[in-house]
Structure formats: structure tokens, C-alpha cells
Amino acid sequence: MTGTWWEAVLFWSLGAVAVAAGWAVFRTDSMARATYALAASFVAVGAQVLLLHLDYVGVVTVLMMVMEMAVMAVYMVMFMGMNPALMPMSMVHSRRTSIGLAVGTFLVLGGGALLVPWPTRRGSPAPDLTASLGEAVMGSKMLVMLVVSPVLFATIVSALVLALPRSRYDRLGADLRRRPADDPQPGGVGR
Amino acid sequence: MTLQAVLVVAAALFSVGLYGAVSQQVVVMVMMGLELMVNAVVLAAAGLWWFLAPTPDGHVLLLVVLAAMTVEMAMGFAVATVLHRSRGADTTDSTTDLNR
């Protein structure tokens, strides 16, 4: 399973873009540029996943990550307290240790990838991979969806609990009966 | 395009992400490093799936990895918000303990 030559050229080009953009995330002078670089890296990897015939996962990766990077750019502007597009920054610690760790990890993982005698392919892909994924998720692998769904819901609740400055219990008391609500600013419609 | 090529690119991405996660001071930048590492896992899993066993099992596993990415992102943003509110901090060096 080696594919055609143009697939190989496209794959290596996308790989170079993904790694270079990933490196640029930590080298650029502004957080806004770092966000866009990370988005570029994700899009390149999403395209590589598409080359591996995982259409659904590839498209979801690209869509999800582009949206996530948009949110992340907003967070940068909110929390960094500076113009994230113009002000140079260098916020790095343990630089030598980090580079050594990264190079060592690459040598171990890359060496393993090249030296391990990988087994030959077993099984063949379904004619319509996205349809087979849907059938698996709604059939034999439904337990996965049953677990992932409450985990995602719990994440929404937990993130809101963490991010809320004041909950309804702060406003209305432990029994939710305090009237008027204890708000720092009166506001509202004149009640 | 071979399995080895996919895994080498994934290893490079993972290493770059590890560099970022270890070296960066800003919490959101650390999250970027973690995202790159999970991104490498997605690519490696996709390669292993296609070249070794292209059955629906691996496809479902990739969906789980994507869900993990989503959870990490949402909780990371929430923790960054809490840190900024409670301490006015956005760097990991300012938050080396868990109590106030």
C-alpha cells in the first residue's frame, strides 16, 4: 500500500507544512500569529488524514481545529493584556532541556517507526468508509458513543462551573429564594 | 506514502508539541503544545489504521481521540479563565501550587 507518486509528494509537502507551522507556533513573536500557525498545522494534518482515506475524521479535524483556533485567538486577546499581534514576546523557560527532550523523543519515535518490522495489512477497507463508521457507531460500537456523549456533556457542565464568575447560588442564595438577587450592579428593567 | 513516512511525520509533530508543552510559560501556549501532540497521535493512528487494519474499529478509536481533544480544549480554556480570575495569572510559573 504505497499509493501513487503524487500522493507521496503531496503527503511529504503537507508534512513539511505541518511540522514547520507547528515549530512556528513557538518561534513567532506574537500570539495571534502563533494561533494562525497552529491552525495551518492542523489543516495540513487534516489534509494528510484525508489522503489516508479517513474522509470523515479529516474533515472534522479541519473544521473543529479552525474553530478552536478562532476561540484561542480570542482568549489570547482577553488574557494576555497586550496587543497580541504587535508586541514581541519570548516566554520560554528550560529552553535547552526542552529542545533536548524534543530531539530525543523524535529520535526514539522516528527510529522506532523505521526499525520496527511492521506487520502486513490485515483486512480490507469497506467500499464506503464513512457509512461503515456510522454503522459501527450505531451498531457494534455503540457503547463508545454511549460513553463519549456523557463525557462531553460533563465537560460542558464542568467548564461552565469553572468559568462562571458567579452562579445562581451566589445571586439567589443556597435555597434559590433570595429576592432581590444579590448582584453587584442593580441593572435589569428597574425592579 | 508508506506507514513509516506517516509515523516519522507524526513523530516530528509530537516532538515539536512536546517542546512547546515543556518550554512555554503561558498556559494557553502550553495548551497549544498539547494540541500538537494529540494532533500527532491522530495522524499516527490514521496511518496505522490505513496501513495495518482498515476496519471500523480503528475509525471509531480515532473519533474517541478527537473527543479527547475537544475535552482537553474546553477544560483548558476553563482552567485558564479560573487562573486569570483568581490570581490574575496567565503563566505556569505563577501557578506552581493549587491553593490560593
Side-chain angles (χ1 to χ4, degrees):
Chain A
M1 291 305 301
T2 55
T4 58
W5 66 269
W6 65 267
E7 279 183 339
V9 171
L10 192 56
F11 177 83
W12 281 110
S13 305
L14 289 168
V17 169
V19 175
W23 180 246
V25 169
F26 307 111
R27 297 297 300 165
T28 185
D29 273 348
S30 87
M31 302 197 93
R33 290 184 199 125
T35 310
Y36 295 131
L38 189 58
S41 179
F42 277 123
V43 170
V45 169
Q48 284 184 310
V49 171
L50 286 175
L51 277 179
L52 291 166
H53 304 274
L54 283 162
D55 298 349
Y56 180 78
V57 174
V59 170
V60 166
T61 303
V62 170
L63 292 178
M64 193 172 87
M65 288 305 146
V66 168
M67 285 307 299
E68 179 184 338
M69 290 309 116
V71 173
M72 199 171 259
V74 173
Y75 263 72
M76 300 260 182
V77 176
M78 283 166 60
F79 290 152
M80 287 306 292
M82 62 183 185
N83 186 332
L86 298 176
M87 188 169 288
M89 59 160 196
S90 176
M91 293 190 171
V92 173
H93 57 181
S94 312
R95 182 177 171 79
R96 284 190 175 180
T97 310
S98 311
I99 290 179
L101 198 59
V103 171
T105 304
F106 176 69
L107 291 177
V108 170
L109 292 179
L114 295 176
L115 298 177
V116 166
W118 297 102
T120 54
R121 192 186 211 190
R122 275 185 291 181
S124 56
D128 189 341
L129 288 168
T130 306
S132 74
L133 172 66
E135 287 170 5
V137 163
M138 288 297 136
S140 59
K141 301 288 183 292
M142 187 174 264
L143 182 61
V144 174
M145 291 307 289
L146 291 176
V147 173
V148 165
S149 304
V151 166
L152 289 177
F153 180 71
T155 303
I156 294 171
V157 174
S158 310
L160 277 176
V161 167
L162 281 176
L164 267 180
R166 301 175 78 244
S167 71
R168 57 179 178 165
Y169 296 105
D170 296 311
R171 298 181 67 241
L172 304 176
D175 57 358
L176 299 178
R177 290 176 188 274
R178 181 189 299 150
R179 294 293 185 280
D182 178 19
D183 288 330
Q185 295 287 332
V189 290
R191 284 172 291 179
Chain B
M1 189 169 58
T2 62
L3 174 61
Q4 285 83 355
V6 176
L7 293 180
V8 165
V9 172
L13 270 177
F14 190 89
S15 305
V16 172
L18 182 65
Y19 164 76
V22 174
S23 70
Q24 295 297 309
Q25 289 184 323
V26 180
V27 175
V28 184
M29 294 295 282
V30 173
M31 282 173 61
M32 286 186 164
L34 294 173
E35 293 275 316
L36 265 178
M37 291 165 75
V38 183
N39 202 28
V41 171
V42 169
L43 181 60
L48 289 169
W49 172 83
W50 178 249
F51 288 104
L52 295 187
T55 57
D57 301 6
H59 215 155
V60 174
L61 182 64
L62 270 164
L63 277 188
V64 174
V65 174
L66 282 180
M69 268 178 120
T70 314
V71 170
E72 178 256 322
M73 172 194 73
M75 295 309 293
F77 283 142
V79 169
T81 306
V82 170
L83 283 178
H84 196 265
R85 180 176 299 126
S86 62
R87 302 188 184 193
D90 61 2
T91 63
T92 52
D93 290 356
S94 317
T95 52
T96 52
D97 54 345
L98 290 176
N99 62 346
R100 287 191 175 217

